[in-house]
Coordinates of all heavy atoms in Angstrom, one line a residue:
M73 N 191.7 -9.8 83.6 CA 191.5 -8.6 84.6 C 192.9 -8.0 85.0 O 193.8 -8.8 85.3 CB 190.8 -9.1 85.7 CG 190.5 -7.9 86.7 SD 189.5 -8.4 88.1 CE 190.4 -9.8 88.6
T74 N 193.0 -6.8 85.0 CA 194.3 -6.2 85.4 C 194.3 -5.5 86.7 O 195.3 -5.4 87.3 CB 194.8 -5.1 84.3 OG1 193.7 -4.2 84.1 CG2 195.0 -5.7 82.9
E75 N 193.0 -5.0 87.1 CA 192.9 -4.3 88.4 C 192.8 -5.4 89.6 O 192.2 -6.3 89.4 CB 191.7 -3.4 88.3 CG 191.9 -2.4 87.4 CD 190.6 -1.7 86.8 OE1 190.0 -2.5 86.1 OE2 190.3 -0.6 87.3
R76 N 193.6 -5.2 90.5 CA 193.8 -6.0 91.7 C 192.8 -5.6 92.7 O 192.5 -4.5 93.1 CB 195.2 -5.9 92.3 CG 196.3 -6.0 91.3 CD 196.4 -7.5 90.7 NE 196.8 -8.4 91.7 CZ 196.9 -9.7 91.6 NH1 196.6 -10.2 90.3 NH2 197.3 -10.5 92.5
T77 N 192.1 -6.6 93.2 CA 191.1 -6.4 94.2 C 191.4 -7.3 95.5 O 190.5 -7.4 96.4 CB 189.6 -6.7 93.8 OG1 189.6 -8.0 93.3 CG2 189.3 -5.8 92.6
K78 N 192.6 -8.0 95.5 CA 192.8 -8.9 96.6 C 192.9 -8.3 98.0 O 192.7 -9.0 98.9 CB 194.1 -9.7 96.3 CG 194.0 -10.8 95.3 CD 195.2 -11.7 95.1 CE 194.9 -12.8 94.2 NZ 196.1 -13.4 93.6
H79 N 193.3 -7.1 98.0 CA 193.4 -6.4 99.3 C 192.1 -6.0 99.9 O 192.0 -5.6 101.1 CB 194.3 -5.1 99.2 CG 193.6 -4.1 98.2 ND1 193.6 -4.3 96.9 CD2 193.1 -2.9 98.5 CE1 193.0 -3.2 96.3 NE2 192.7 -2.4 97.2
I80 N 191.0 -6.2 99.0 CA 189.7 -5.7 99.6 C 189.0 -6.8 100.3 O 189.0 -8.0 99.9 CB 188.9 -5.2 98.4 CG1 189.5 -3.9 97.9 CG2 187.5 -4.9 98.8 CD1 189.0 -3.5 96.5
P81 N 188.4 -6.5 101.5 CA 187.7 -7.6 102.2 C 186.5 -8.3 101.4 O 185.8 -7.6 100.7 CB 187.1 -6.9 103.5 CG 187.1 -5.5 103.1 CD 188.2 -5.3 102.1
K82 N 186.4 -9.5 101.5 CA 185.5 -10.4 100.7 C 184.1 -10.1 101.4 O 183.9 -9.9 102.6 CB 185.8 -11.8 100.7 CG 187.1 -12.1 100.1 CD 186.8 -12.3 98.6 CE 188.1 -12.7 97.8 NZ 188.0 -12.2 96.4
M83 N 183.0 -10.2 100.5 CA 181.6 -10.2 101.0 C 181.0 -11.4 100.2 O 181.0 -11.5 99.0 CB 181.0 -9.0 100.8 CG 179.6 -9.0 101.4 SD 178.6 -7.5 101.1 CE 179.4 -6.3 102.3
E84 N 180.3 -12.2 101.0 CA 179.6 -13.4 100.3 C 178.5 -12.9 99.4 O 177.8 -12.0 99.6 CB 178.9 -14.2 101.5 CG 178.4 -15.5 101.0 CD 177.8 -16.4 102.1 OE1 178.1 -16.1 103.3 OE2 177.0 -17.3 101.8
G85 N 178.6 -13.5 98.2 CA 177.6 -13.2 97.2 C 178.0 -12.0 96.3 O 177.5 -11.8 95.2
R86 N 179.1 -11.3 96.7 CA 179.4 -10.2 95.8 C 180.5 -10.6 94.8 O 181.4 -11.3 95.0 CB 180.2 -9.1 96.8 CG 180.5 -7.8 96.1 CD 181.0 -6.8 96.9 NE 182.3 -7.2 97.6 CZ 182.9 -6.6 98.6 NH1 182.3 -5.5 99.2 NH2 184.0 -7.0 99.1
T87 N 180.2 -10.1 93.5 CA 181.1 -10.7 92.4 C 181.7 -9.4 91.8 O 182.8 -9.6 91.2 CB 180.2 -11.3 91.3 OG1 179.2 -10.4 90.9 CG2 179.6 -12.6 91.8
H88 N 181.3 -8.3 91.9 CA 181.9 -7.0 91.4 C 182.1 -6.0 92.4 O 181.4 -5.9 93.4 CB 181.1 -6.5 90.2 CG 180.9 -7.4 89.0 ND1 180.3 -8.7 88.9 CD2 181.5 -7.2 87.8 CE1 180.6 -9.2 87.8 NE2 181.2 -8.3 87.0
L89 N 183.0 -5.1 92.0 CA 183.3 -4.0 92.9 C 183.3 -2.6 92.2 O 183.9 -2.7 91.0 CB 184.7 -4.2 93.6 CG 184.7 -5.2 94.7 CD1 186.2 -5.5 95.0 CD2 184.0 -4.8 95.9
P90 N 183.0 -1.6 92.7 CA 183.0 -0.3 92.0 C 184.5 0.3 92.2 O 185.0 0.3 93.3 CB 182.1 0.6 92.8 CG 182.0 0.0 94.2 CD 182.3 -1.5 94.1
R91 N 185.0 0.7 91.1 CA 186.3 1.4 91.1 C 186.1 2.8 90.6 O 185.6 3.0 89.5 CB 187.2 0.7 90.2 CG 188.7 1.2 90.2 CD 189.5 0.5 89.2 NE 190.7 1.3 89.0 CZ 190.9 2.3 88.3 NH1 189.7 2.8 87.6 NH2 192.0 3.0 88.2
L92 N 186.7 3.7 91.3 CA 186.6 5.1 91.1 C 187.7 5.6 90.2 O 188.8 5.3 90.6 CB 186.5 5.9 92.4 CG 186.3 7.5 92.2 CD1 185.0 7.9 91.6 CD2 186.6 8.2 93.5
D93 N 187.3 6.4 89.2 CA 188.3 7.1 88.4 C 188.3 8.6 88.9 O 187.5 9.3 88.6 CB 187.9 7.0 86.8 CG 189.1 7.7 86.0 OD1 189.8 8.5 86.5 OD2 189.0 7.4 84.8
T94 N 189.3 8.9 89.6 CA 189.4 10.2 90.3 C 189.5 11.4 89.3 O 189.2 12.5 89.5 CB 190.4 10.3 91.4 OG1 191.6 10.0 90.8 CG2 190.2 9.4 92.5
E95 N 190.1 11.0 88.1 CA 190.2 12.0 87.0 C 188.8 12.4 86.5 O 188.6 13.6 86.1 CB 191.1 11.5 85.9 CG 192.5 11.1 86.3 CD 193.3 12.3 86.5 OE1 193.2 13.2 85.7 OE2 194.0 12.4 87.6
K96 N 187.9 11.6 86.4 CA 186.5 11.8 85.9 C 185.5 12.3 86.9 O 184.7 13.1 86.6 CB 186.0 10.5 85.3 CG 186.6 10.1 84.0 CD 185.9 8.9 83.5 CE 186.6 8.3 82.1 NZ 185.9 7.2 81.7
C97 N 185.8 12.0 88.1 CA 184.9 12.3 89.2 C 184.8 13.8 89.5 O 185.9 14.4 89.6 CB 185.2 11.6 90.5 SG 184.1 12.1 91.9
V98 N 183.7 14.5 89.6 CA 183.5 15.9 89.9 C 182.9 16.1 91.1 O 182.5 17.2 91.5 CB 182.6 16.6 88.7 CG1 183.3 16.5 87.3 CG2 181.2 16.0 88.6
A99 N 182.8 15.1 92.0 CA 182.5 15.2 93.4 C 181.0 15.8 93.5 O 180.7 16.6 94.5 CB 183.4 16.1 94.1
C100 N 180.2 15.4 92.6 CA 178.7 15.8 92.7 C 178.0 15.1 93.8 O 176.9 15.5 94.3 CB 178.1 15.5 91.4 SG 177.7 13.8 91.0
V101 N 178.6 13.9 94.5 CA 178.0 13.1 95.4 C 176.7 12.5 95.2 O 176.0 12.0 96.1 CB 178.1 13.8 96.8 CG1 179.5 14.0 97.3 CG2 177.3 15.0 97.0
L102 N 176.2 12.4 93.9 CA 175.0 11.7 93.6 C 175.1 10.3 94.0 O 174.2 9.7 94.5 CB 174.8 11.9 92.0 CG 173.4 11.4 91.6 CD1 172.3 12.1 92.1 CD2 173.5 11.5 90.0
C103 N 176.2 9.7 93.8 CA 176.4 8.3 94.2 C 176.4 8.1 95.6 O 175.8 7.1 96.1 CB 177.8 7.7 93.7 SG 179.2 8.7 94.3
Q104 N 176.7 9.0 96.4 CA 176.7 9.0 97.9 C 175.2 9.0 98.3 O 174.7 8.1 99.1 CB 177.3 10.1 98.5 CG 177.2 10.1 100.0 CD 177.9 11.4 100.7 OE1 178.5 12.2 100.0 NE2 177.7 11.4 102.0
Y105 N 174.3 9.8 97.7 CA 172.9 9.9 98.0 C 172.2 8.6 97.6 O 171.1 8.2 98.2 CB 172.3 11.1 97.4 CG 172.7 12.3 98.1 CD1 173.3 13.3 97.3 CD2 172.6 12.5 99.4 CE1 173.8 14.5 98.0 CE2 173.0 13.6 100.2 CZ 173.6 14.7 99.3 OH 174.1 15.8 99.9
L106 N 172.6 8.0 96.5 CA 171.8 6.9 95.9 C 172.3 5.5 96.2 O 171.6 4.5 95.9 CB 171.7 7.0 94.4 CG 170.9 8.4 94.0 CD1 170.8 8.4 92.5 CD2 169.5 8.3 94.5
C107 N 173.4 5.4 96.9 CA 174.0 4.0 97.3 C 173.0 3.5 98.3 O 172.8 4.0 99.4 CB 175.4 4.1 97.8 SG 175.9 2.6 98.6
P108 N 172.4 2.4 98.0 CA 171.4 1.7 98.9 C 172.0 1.2 100.2 O 171.3 1.0 101.2 CB 170.8 0.5 98.1 CG 171.8 0.3 97.0 CD 172.5 1.5 96.7
D109 N 173.3 1.1 100.2 CA 173.9 0.5 101.5 C 174.7 1.6 102.2 O 175.5 1.3 103.1 CB 174.8 -0.5 101.1 CG 174.0 -1.9 100.6 OD1 173.2 -2.2 101.5 OD2 174.2 -2.4 99.6
L110 N 174.7 2.8 101.8 CA 175.4 3.9 102.4 C 176.8 3.6 102.5 O 177.5 3.9 103.5 CB 174.8 4.2 103.8 CG 173.3 4.5 103.9 CD1 172.8 4.8 105.3 CD2 172.9 5.7 103.0
A111 N 177.4 3.0 101.4 CA 178.7 2.7 101.5 C 179.7 3.8 101.0 O 181.0 3.7 101.0 CB 179.0 1.4 100.6
I112 N 179.1 4.9 100.5 CA 179.9 6.0 100.0 C 179.8 7.2 100.9 O 178.8 7.6 101.2 CB 179.5 6.3 98.5 CG1 179.5 5.1 97.6 CG2 180.3 7.5 98.0 CD1 179.1 5.3 96.2
T113 N 181.0 7.7 101.1 CA 181.0 9.0 101.9 C 181.9 10.0 101.0 O 182.7 9.6 100.2 CB 181.7 8.8 103.2 OG1 182.9 8.1 103.1 CG2 180.7 8.0 104.2
R114 N 181.8 11.2 101.5 CA 182.6 12.2 100.8 C 184.1 12.1 101.3 O 184.4 11.8 102.5 CB 182.1 13.6 101.2 CG 182.8 14.7 100.4 CD 181.9 16.0 100.3 NE 182.2 16.8 99.2 CZ 181.4 17.5 98.6 NH1 180.2 17.6 99.0 NH2 181.8 18.2 97.5
G115 N 185.1 12.1 100.4 CA 186.5 12.0 100.6 C 187.0 13.3 101.4 O 186.4 14.4 101.2
E116 N 188.1 13.2 102.0 CA 188.7 14.3 102.7 C 189.5 15.2 101.7 O 189.7 16.4 102.0 CB 189.6 13.8 103.8 CG 188.9 13.0 104.9 CD 188.0 13.8 105.7 OE1 188.4 15.0 106.1 OE2 186.9 13.4 106.0
E117 N 190.1 14.6 100.7 CA 191.0 15.3 99.8 C 190.5 15.5 98.5 O 189.7 14.7 98.0 CB 192.4 14.6 99.9 CG 193.1 14.6 101.3 CD 194.1 13.6 101.4 OE1 194.5 13.1 100.4 OE2 194.3 13.2 102.5
K118 N 191.0 16.5 97.7 CA 190.8 16.7 96.4 C 191.1 15.5 95.4 O 190.4 15.2 94.6 CB 191.5 17.9 95.8 CG 190.9 18.5 94.6 CD 191.6 19.7 94.1 CE 191.1 20.1 92.7 NZ 192.0 21.1 92.1
E119 N 192.2 14.9 95.7 CA 192.5 13.6 95.0 C 191.6 12.4 95.2 O 191.7 11.4 94.5 CB 194.0 13.3 95.3 CG 195.0 14.4 95.2 CD 195.0 15.2 96.5 OE1 195.1 14.7 97.6 OE2 194.9 16.5 96.3
N120 N 190.8 12.5 96.3 CA 190.0 11.4 96.8 C 188.5 11.9 97.0 O 188.2 12.1 98.1 CB 190.6 10.8 98.0 CG 190.2 9.4 98.2 OD1 189.8 8.8 97.3 ND2 190.4 9.0 99.4
P121 N 187.8 12.4 96.0 CA 186.6 13.0 96.1 C 185.5 12.2 96.9 O 184.7 12.8 97.6 CB 186.1 13.4 94.7 CG 186.9 12.6 93.8 CD 188.2 12.2 94.5
I122 N 185.5 10.9 96.7 CA 184.5 10.1 97.4 C 185.4 8.9 98.0 O 186.4 8.6 97.5 CB 183.4 9.6 96.6 CG1 183.8 8.8 95.4 CG2 182.4 10.8 96.2 CD1 182.8 7.9 94.8
E123 N 184.8 8.3 99.0 CA 185.4 7.1 99.6 C 184.3 5.9 99.5 O 183.1 6.2 99.9 CB 185.7 7.3 101.1 CG 186.7 8.4 101.3 CD 188.1 7.8 101.6 OE1 188.3 6.6 101.2 OE2 189.0 8.6 101.9
I124 N 184.7 4.9 99.1 CA 183.8 3.6 99.0 C 184.3 2.7 100.1 O 185.4 2.2 100.1 CB 183.9 3.0 97.7 CG1 183.4 3.9 96.6 CG2 182.9 1.7 97.7 CD1 183.6 3.5 95.2
D125 N 183.4 2.4 101.0 CA 183.7 1.4 102.1 C 183.4 0.0 101.6 O 182.2 -0.4 101.5 CB 183.0 1.8 103.3 CG 183.2 0.9 104.6 OD1 183.9 -0.2 104.3 OD2 183.0 1.3 105.6
Y126 N 184.4 -0.8 101.3 CA 184.3 -2.1 100.8 C 183.8 -3.1 101.8 O 183.5 -4.3 101.5 CB 185.5 -2.6 100.0 CG 185.7 -1.8 98.8 CD1 186.9 -0.9 98.7 CD2 184.9 -1.8 97.7 CE1 187.1 -0.1 97.6 CE2 185.1 -1.1 96.6 CZ 186.2 -0.3 96.5 OH 186.4 0.6 95.4
N127 N 183.8 -2.7 103.1 CA 183.2 -3.6 104.1 C 181.7 -3.6 104.1 O 181.1 -4.4 104.6 CB 183.7 -3.1 105.5 CG 185.2 -3.4 105.7 OD1 185.6 -4.6 105.6 ND2 185.9 -2.4 105.9
I128 N 181.1 -2.5 103.4 CA 179.6 -2.4 103.4 C 179.1 -2.6 102.0 O 178.1 -3.1 101.8 CB 179.4 -0.9 103.8 CG1 179.8 -0.6 105.2 CG2 177.8 -0.7 103.7 CD1 179.6 0.8 105.7
C129 N 179.9 -2.2 101.0 CA 179.4 -2.2 99.6 C 179.1 -3.7 99.2 O 179.8 -4.6 99.4 CB 180.6 -1.7 98.7 SG 180.3 -2.0 96.9
R130 N 177.9 -3.8 98.5 CA 177.5 -5.1 98.1 C 177.7 -5.3 96.6 O 177.2 -6.3 96.1 CB 176.0 -5.3 98.5 CG 175.7 -5.5 99.9 CD 174.4 -6.0 100.1 NE 173.7 -5.2 101.2 CZ 172.6 -5.5 101.7 NH1 171.9 -6.6 101.2 NH2 172.0 -4.8 102.6
G131 N 178.3 -4.3 96.0 CA 178.6 -4.5 94.6 C 177.4 -4.5 93.6 O 177.4 -5.1 92.6
C132 N 176.3 -3.7 94.0 CA 175.1 -3.7 93.3 C 175.3 -2.9 91.9 O 174.5 -3.2 91.0 CB 174.0 -3.0 94.1 SG 174.2 -1.3 94.4
G133 N 176.2 -2.0 91.9 CA 176.4 -1.3 90.6 C 175.6 -0.1 90.4 O 175.6 0.6 89.4
V134 N 174.8 0.3 91.4 CA 173.9 1.5 91.2 C 174.8 2.8 91.1 O 174.5 3.6 90.1 CB 173.0 1.7 92.5 CG1 172.4 3.1 92.6 CG2 172.0 0.6 92.5
C135 N 175.8 2.9 91.8 CA 176.7 4.0 91.7 C 177.3 4.2 90.2 O 177.3 5.3 89.8 CB 177.8 4.0 92.7 SG 178.8 2.4 92.7
A136 N 177.8 3.1 89.7 CA 178.3 3.1 88.4 C 177.2 3.5 87.3 O 177.4 4.2 86.4 CB 178.9 1.7 88.0
F137 N 176.0 3.0 87.6 CA 174.9 3.3 86.6 C 174.5 4.7 86.7 O 174.2 5.2 85.6 CB 173.7 2.3 87.0 CG 172.6 2.4 86.1 CD1 172.6 1.8 84.8 CD2 171.4 3.1 86.5 CE1 171.5 2.0 84.0 CE2 170.4 3.2 85.6 CZ 170.4 2.7 84.3
I138 N 174.4 5.3 87.8 CA 173.9 6.6 87.9 C 175.0 7.8 87.8 O 174.5 9.0 87.5 CB 173.2 6.9 89.2 CG1 173.9 6.6 90.4 CG2 171.8 6.0 89.1 CD1 174.7 7.7 90.9
C139 N 176.2 7.4 87.8 CA 177.2 8.5 87.8 C 177.2 9.2 86.5 O 177.3 8.7 85.3 CB 178.6 7.9 88.0 SG 179.9 9.2 87.7
P140 N 177.0 10.5 86.5 CA 176.8 11.3 85.1 C 178.1 11.4 84.5 O 178.1 11.7 83.3 CB 176.3 12.6 85.6 CG 176.7 12.7 87.0 CD 176.8 11.4 87.7
K141 N 179.2 11.2 85.1 CA 180.5 11.3 84.5 C 181.2 10.0 84.0 O 182.4 9.9 83.7 CB 181.5 12.1 85.4 CG 181.0 13.5 85.6 CD 181.0 14.3 84.3 CE 180.5 15.7 84.6 NZ 180.5 16.5 83.3
E142 N 180.5 8.9 84.3 CA 181.0 7.6 84.1 C 182.3 7.4 84.8 O 183.3 6.9 84.3 CB 181.1 7.2 82.6 CG 179.8 7.4 81.9 CD 179.9 7.0 80.4 OE1 180.9 6.8 79.9 OE2 178.9 6.7 79.9
A143 N 182.5 7.9 86.1 CA 183.6 7.9 86.9 C 183.8 6.6 87.6 O 184.8 6.4 88.3 CB 183.7 9.0 87.8
I144 N 182.6 5.8 87.7 CA 182.8 4.5 88.4 C 182.5 3.3 87.5 O 181.6 3.4 86.7 CB 181.7 4.5 89.6 CG1 182.0 5.6 90.6 CG2 181.8 3.1 90.3 CD1 181.0 5.6 91.8
K145 N 183.5 2.4 87.6 CA 183.4 1.2 86.7 C 183.3 0.0 87.7 O 184.0 -0.1 88.6 CB 184.7 1.2 85.9 CG 184.7 0.1 84.9 CD 185.8 0.2 83.9 CE 187.1 -0.3 84.4 NZ 188.3 -0.4 83.5
M146 N 182.5 -0.9 87.3 CA 182.5 -2.2 88.1 C 183.4 -3.1 87.6 O 183.5 -3.5 86.3 CB 181.0 -2.8 88.0 CG 179.8 -1.9 88.5 SD 180.1 -1.4 90.2 CE 179.8 -3.0 91.1
I147 N 184.2 -3.7 88.5 CA 185.2 -4.6 88.1 C 185.0 -6.0 88.7 O 184.4 -6.0 89.9 CB 186.7 -4.1 88.4 CG1 186.9 -3.8 90.0 CG2 187.0 -2.8 87.6 CD1 188.3 -3.6 90.3
V148 N 185.4 -7.0 88.2 CA 185.3 -8.4 88.8 C 186.1 -8.5 89.9 O 187.3 -8.1 89.9 CB 185.6 -9.4 87.7 CG1 185.5 -10.8 88.3 CG2 184.6 -9.3 86.5
E149 N 185.5 -8.9 91.0 CA 186.2 -9.2 92.3 C 187.1 -10.5 92.2 O 186.5 -11.5 91.7 CB 185.4 -9.2 93.5 CG 185.9 -9.2 94.8 CD 185.0 -9.0 95.9 OE1 183.8 -9.1 95.6 OE2 185.5 -8.8 97.0
E150 N 188.3 -10.4 92.6 CA 189.1 -11.6 92.6 C 188.8 -12.5 93.7 O 188.5 -12.0 94.8 CB 190.6 -11.3 92.7 CG 191.1 -10.8 91.4 CD 192.7 -10.4 91.5 OE1 193.4 -11.3 91.9 OE2 193.0 -9.3 91.1
Ligands
LIG189 S1 178.2 10.4 91.0 FE1 180.2 10.1 89.8 S2 180.9 12.2 89.6 FE2 179.4 12.2 91.2 S3 180.6 11.9 93.1 FE3 179.9 10.0 92.4 S4 181.7 9.1 91.1 FE4 182.0 11.4 91.3
LIG190 S1 178.1 -0.9 94.2 FE1 176.2 -0.5 95.2 S2 176.6 -0.9 97.4 FE2 178.5 -0.6 96.3 S3 179.2 1.6 96.6 FE3 178.0 1.3 94.5 S4 175.9 1.7 95.0 FE4 176.9 1.4 97.0

C-alpha cells in the first residue's frame, strides 16, 4: 500500500477507507445522498468537491460502488 491513512482517526471494525480522486469527481453529490452514515458533505472549494468525515465513515464502500465517475477508491486502512 502506498497511500497513507495513519493521520485518520481509527474506528473499530473498519478496515477500508474511501479516497477521493478530485480529478475524476464531478461534484454530482450522489455519494452524499447515498452514504448511509451521512459522512459526506459538499466541499467548500472547487479543488475539494466533497468532504468525507472519517470520524463518521464506517468504510462500507457504498460511495465507491455508486460513484458514476469511479472517483472514490477504497483503500486499506493502516
Ligand atoms: S458520486 Fe462520485 S462524482 Fe459524484 S460527488 Fe461523489 S465522488 Fe464526486
Ligand atoms: S465508505 Fe460508506 S460510510 Fe464511508 S463515506 Fe463511503 S458510503 Fe459513507
Side-chain angles (χ1 to χ4, degrees):
M73 182 177 54
T74 55
E75 290 156 289
R76 309 291 293 177
T77 60
K78 277 186 177 160
H79 63 288
I80 294 171
K82 295 274 182 207
M83 181 182 287
E84 194 176 336
R86 188 174 66 191
T87 59
H88 289 69
L89 287 169
R91 182 187 166 281
L92 177 69
D93 183 338
T94 55
E95 297 288 314
K96 291 183 180 176
C97 177
V98 294
C100 69
V101 297
L102 189 61
C103 56
Q104 180 182 354
Y105 289 121
L106 295 180
C107 171
D109 290 304
L110 306 178
I112 301 176
T113 52
R114 194 159 200 148
E116 294 293 317
E117 295 158 22
K118 195 178 173 194
E119 307 80 52
N120 205 18
I122 60 159
E123 298 264 10
I124 300 170
D125 186 342
Y126 293 110
N127 289 302
I128 300 172
C129 169
R130 288 194 229 188
C132 67
V134 167
C135 53
F137 183 73
I138 56 87
C139 175
K141 296 295 179 183
E142 298 183 349
I144 298 179
K145 185 169 79 170
M146 299 303 289
I147 61 170
V148 176
E149 187 169 12
E150 283 183 56

